[in-house]
């Protein structure tokens, strides 16, 4: 069987079984990621409930424009990733590589914008630590908000970096013809990971940037 299916690992009976096993493994991994980020979201919600005014005031220091641009960038990267999976199912090698490269470019653009935003926070003394400065009576609670801000966005950025590395590997293998309309599971699994990272940001953006912006 493996002689007729180059992408088939020796411990599977056929590509369909291999695909199902890979999908199950990826979904189980994503469940652990949901639990991980879910714990952070729960902790954030508790402290926000305890200090709503401080968290609202601190969130106004987040750059809404940069955050909105990054949201659009990641939504675009989800589209290009979906197109890469689509062309993987069709066995179109050049299109797979092209859309993976576009996805990585958008991911790098996201990280560049986020780095600029981090720099602004450092210059404004909003980085938690001994040099933290925040006007008004909520300095201590505001510092807690920025701890959550840097931890959650930093972990998200780390996941983005891992994703870019993963897509780079997939793109190289695709260029050398490792995938076909029968064997495209690695591209699909990478797509699931990338979409998960994008969804995490969709939750982070309103939590960190949009608190009481109408006030």
């Amino acid at each position: 069987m493996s002689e007729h299916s180059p992408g088939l690992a020796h411990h599977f009976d056929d590509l369909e079984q291999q695909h199902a096993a890979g999908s199950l493994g990826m979904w189980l991994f994503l469940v652990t990621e949901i639990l991980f980020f879910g714990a952070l979201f729960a902790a954030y919600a508790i402290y926000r409930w305890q200090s709503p005014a401080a968290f609202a005031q601190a969130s106004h220091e987040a750059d809404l424009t940069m955050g909105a641009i990054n949201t659009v960038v990641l939504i675009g990267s989800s589209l290009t990733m979906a197109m890469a999976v689509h062309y993987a199912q069709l066995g179109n090698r050049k299109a797979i590589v092209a859309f993976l490269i576009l996805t990585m470019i958008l991911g790098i653009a996201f990280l560049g914008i986020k780095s600029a935003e981090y720099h602004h926070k450092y210059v404004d003394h909003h980085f938690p630590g001994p040099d933290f400065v925040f006007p008004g009576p909520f300095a201590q609670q505001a510092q807690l908000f920025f701890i959550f801000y840097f931890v959650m966005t930093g972990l998200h950025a780390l996941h983005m970096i891992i994703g870019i590395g993963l897509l780079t590997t997939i793109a190289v293998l695709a260029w050398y013809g490792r995938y076909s309309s029968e064997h495209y599971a690695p591209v699909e699994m990478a797509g699931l990971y990338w979409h998960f990272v994008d969804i995490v940001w969709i939750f982070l953006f309103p939590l960190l940037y949009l608190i009481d912006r109408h006030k």
Side-chain angles (χ1 to χ4, degrees):
M1 178 68 72
S2 61
E3 294 177 358
H4 301 289
S5 304
L8 181 65
H10 67 88
H11 49 283
F12 292 106
D13 294 332
D14 51 45
L15 287 173
E16 183 178 355
Q17 183 188 61
Q18 178 174 288
H19 193 157
S23 296
L24 177 61
M26 176 55 72
W27 280 111
L28 289 174
F29 168 73
L30 293 181
V31 166
T32 65
E33 289 287 283
I34 291 170
L35 292 173
F36 174 71
F37 278 102
L40 286 174
F41 289 150
Y44 173 87
I46 291 171
Y47 283 105
R48 177 185 171 183
W49 174 73
Q50 291 180 342
S51 305
F55 271 51
Q57 184 178 344
S59 73
H60 290 180
E61 299 299 323
D63 194 315
L64 182 59
T65 300
M66 284 188 173
I69 292 173
N70 261 349
T71 302
V72 174
V73 167
L74 278 194
I75 291 173
S77 75
S78 277
L79 174 61
T80 56
M81 187 68 239
M83 294 302 297
V85 174
H86 170 71
Y87 281 108
Q89 293 170 338
L90 298 177
N92 189 325
R93 177 177 63 91
K94 291 183 179 180
I96 298 170
V97 174
F99 279 107
L100 287 176
I101 290 174
L102 285 175
T103 303
M104 288 186 284
I105 289 173
L106 290 171
I108 292 170
F110 176 93
L111 293 174
I113 294 170
K114 180 53 63 181
S115 296
E117 195 174 353
Y118 281 174
H119 176 71
H120 293 163
K121 294 291 175 290
Y122 178 78
V123 171
D124 294 338
H125 298 283
H126 288 158
F127 193 85
D131 295 328
F132 181 81
V133 176
F134 193 84
F138 301 124
Q140 185 175 359
Q141 296 93 328
Q143 183 168 204
L144 182 60
F145 168 86
F146 281 107
I147 290 174
F148 277 110
Y149 171 86
F150 281 106
V151 169
M152 291 197 290
T153 60
L155 286 171
H156 177 265
L158 176 61
H159 280 72
M160 289 285 298
I161 293 169
I162 293 171
I164 291 171
L166 177 62
L167 295 189
T168 300
T169 303
I170 297 293
V172 171
L173 293 175
W175 179 256
Y176 286 104
R178 289 288 296 275
Y179 308 120
S180 65
S181 57
E182 291 78 27
H183 175 56
Y184 57 86
V187 184
E188 187 176 48
M189 298 308 105
L192 285 174
Y193 175 85
W194 191 265
H195 293 317
F196 169 78
V197 175
D198 289 357
I199 290 172
V200 169
W201 177 258
I202 296 301
F203 282 95
L204 288 176
F205 178 61
L207 285 175
L208 298 175
Y209 291 79
L210 302 180
I211 304 176
D212 294 328
R213 281 282 178 173
H214 62 283
K215 295 182 178 180

